[in-house]
Amino acid sequence: MTTKANDLLDWSPEAVVFDCDGTLMDSERHWQEARRRAFREHGLQPPSGFALQATGLHYEDCGRLMARSVHKPELAEDLTAALLDHFLELVTDDPVTMPGAARLVRLLSARLPLAVASNCPRVVVEGSLERAGLRAHFQHIVVPDTGDRVRPKPHPDVYDVAARLCGVHPHQALAIEDSVTGVTAAHRAGLRVLGVGPRPQGDGAALADPWLPALHAPELLAWAHSLGTPGPTQKHENPQ
């Protein structure tokens, strides 16, 4: 285990905020297929390397990027709509949790307040977690909302709001992420960040404290078991 991993796993956060796509739910493959279908529906081919550029983006940002990548900005709205339609169909038919997600969530929810901060539409996050039997473990779900002026990742808003809804300051919370877009958002909000899954290319990955291969990494499960269980009177005040 690296020094950074040791340092993070020697720390006890006051709350944990999870990303959803690619972290809790194995839905990034659905986004990839939805992008392929949306491109194909419009007689287009995704450019080389597009999947890497799109990982972690809000679907509206992704739709705009899709249109720009094929030099057809006028198709941004149509591609965005097609992308979301195809994704909703795919994720409804095949909701699957990432390896170790259910076990880690259940361990942590007995010890700390948990939230989800996602770029996905709320209906997708709520539905996926409900079908996976995990929704009840999260006190809060935060997604981009223009009405509330909550901007999508890589802006820090969803992580800042999620930590504060859990009753803690952002620097007291841990974010768990799988993409550079999400890691950047959590870091900007002031959370410490654990990266999970294959480490992405690029300098942005270094903003995570460590990267671990999966949510069922033995050192991560041992850390979760080591956290104290809050007593019945222990409460967090809402930070201002």
Side-chain angles (χ1 to χ4, degrees), residues 11 20 42 51-52 119 130 132 153 165 191 193 205 214 229 240:
W11 173 63
C20 188
H42 289 80
L52 185 60
N119 266 355
E130 192 67 47
K153 307 171 191 179
L165 285 173
L191 285 74
V193 190
T229 303
Q240 301 300 316

Side-chain angles (χ1 to χ4, degrees), residues 1 15 18 30 50 67 101 134 147 149 153 164 170 197 216-217 232:
M1 187 160 50
F18 284 84
H30 294 324
F50 184 81
L134 297 179
R149 298 183 181 179
K153 307 171 191 179
R164 295 181 188 280
H216 54 42

Side-chain angles (χ1 to χ4, degrees), residues 168-188:
V168 305
H169 291 281
H171 71 270
Q172 298 171 307
L174 173 67
I176 302 183
E177 267 286 354
D178 74 308
S179 72
V180 170
T181 299
V183 167
T184 301
H187 180 78
R188 287 176 176 172

Side-chain angles (χ1 to χ4, degrees), residues 85-166:
D85 286 346
H86 287 304
F87 175 75
L88 289 173
E89 179 184 355
L90 290 162
V91 78
T92 298
D93 290 343
D94 185 24
V96 179
T97 56
M98 294 296 289
R103 183 179 180 187
L104 182 63
V105 165
R106 290 176 180 131
L107 277 172
L108 291 176
S109 70
R111 294 161 169 81
L112 297 166
L114 302 186
V116 170
S118 175
N119 266 355
C120 276
R122 181 175 297 277
V123 65
V124 173
V125 180
E126 295 268 7
S128 296
L129 294 176
E130 192 67 47
R131 288 189 292 274
L134 297 179
R135 177 63 186 91
H137 294 278
F138 295 96
Q139 287 91 333
H140 305 286
I141 291 177
V142 181
V143 299
D145 188 323
T146 54
D148 292 334
R149 298 183 181 179
V150 178
R151 299 168 296 176
K153 307 171 191 179
H155 296 290
D157 303 23
V158 289
Y159 274 107
D160 181 74
V161 171
R164 295 181 188 280
L165 285 173
C166 286

Side-chain angles (χ1 to χ4, degrees), residues 18-38:
F18 284 84
D19 170 54
C20 188
D21 273 6
T23 301
L24 289 173
M25 301 301 300
D26 187 11
S27 45
E28 183 55 37
R29 60 198 173 93
H30 294 324
W31 282 117
Q32 291 182 26
E33 176 60 23
R35 290 192 292 266
R36 284 193 290 268
R37 291 185 183 185

